Amino acid sequence: FPYTTLFRSPEGLKTIPTYMFLDCKSLKEIKIPESVTKIGSQAFEYCHSLTELIIPANVDTIETAAFSGCTSLESIYVDPKNTVFSSVNGLLCNADGTAIICAPAGISGHVVIPEGVRVIEEGAFSNCIYMEEVTIPNSVEQIKDVAFCQSESLAKIHMGKGVKDIGRQAFDFTAHYNDPKNRENGLLYIDDCLVGFHTDERDVFIK
């Protein structure tokens, strides 16, 4: 559907499959029916014109990168009757708001992650190309793989003191990643926190 601007999914539809609307650059709005329970991986990835998204009450599965790269999307809304997902400050979260599943890729400037969030899921902030700064609260314990990857304007990262686990390539290809002053002996740091390993050296010294 490369030139579709509005798509109304048929009633009775249960699943929006993987790659269903991938790279549909003209798609501005989609009406997801109440019958849908699953949204597949990368189903709406790179729908650059998509401005509005409401997750219906019966959706119980949203796979990785379902909305990644939707750079005109500034908020993701969830039907309050949904028992699996919720929307917190426009971020797609689990029901109790302790895990961020997906950030709308159109968010910009300084993003403050709400206190009480414990997990930032895989790819949650990937391809958020307008985000320049993020504050991660002390409540966050785990940042999963590629969580902020390819958020190319992200230069300032305020890391909470509660983080115990940072996944693979969590901050790769951000402005922070590309700034040489954030590296030492091939290791990538955020303040004193080691977040990446990018060197061919045999001997590595951690500060």
Side-chain angles (χ1 to χ4, degrees), residues 8 15 34-35 45 61 76-77 79 82 94 108 120 123 128 139 142 144 151-152 158 170 178 180 185 203:
R8 296 181 185 275
T15 299
E34 292 294 328
S35 56
E45 189 171 33
T61 302
I76 298 174
Y77 302 101
D79 189 310
N82 192 300
N94 63 348
S108 61
I120 300 174
C128 291
S139 61
Q142 184 179 26
K144 292 192 178 181
S151 293
E152 59 190 43
H158 309 286
N178 291 325
N185 297 321
D203 297 319

Side-chain angles (χ1 to χ4, degrees), residues 74-86:
E74 297 182 1
S75 294
I76 298 174
Y77 302 101
V78 178
D79 189 310
K81 297 189 291 293
N82 192 300
T83 60
V84 178
F85 301 108
S86 66

Side-chain angles (χ1 to χ4, degrees), residues 82-138:
N82 192 300
T83 60
V84 178
F85 301 108
S86 66
S87 180
V88 179
N89 298 340
L91 304 170
L92 178 64
C93 299
N94 63 348
D96 63 5
T98 58
I100 297 176
I101 296 163
C102 181
I107 58 173
S108 61
H110 184 188
V111 175
V112 179
I113 293 175
E115 187 68 43
V117 171
R118 295 176 58 192
V119 178
I120 300 174
E121 295 286 357
E122 180 177 342
F125 287 88
S126 64
N127 289 299
C128 291
I129 62 174
Y130 306 123
M131 179 172 59
E132 299 172 348
E133 183 176 359
V134 64
T135 296
I136 300 170
N138 293 333

Side-chain angles (χ1 to χ4, degrees), residues 152-164:
E152 59 190 43
S153 299
L154 181 59
K156 295 181 180 179
I157 302 164
H158 309 286
M159 184 74 75
K161 299 184 183 301
V163 176
K164 301 173 183 177

Side-chain angles (χ1 to χ4, degrees), residues 5-27:
T5 58
L6 170 62
F7 186 87
R8 296 181 185 275
S9 301
E11 289 296 332
L13 183 71
K14 295 290 187 183
T15 299
I16 298 178
T18 296
Y19 309 134
M20 179 70 181
F21 295 95
L22 175 66
D23 211 26
C24 290
K25 293 182 173 64
S26 298
L27 184 65

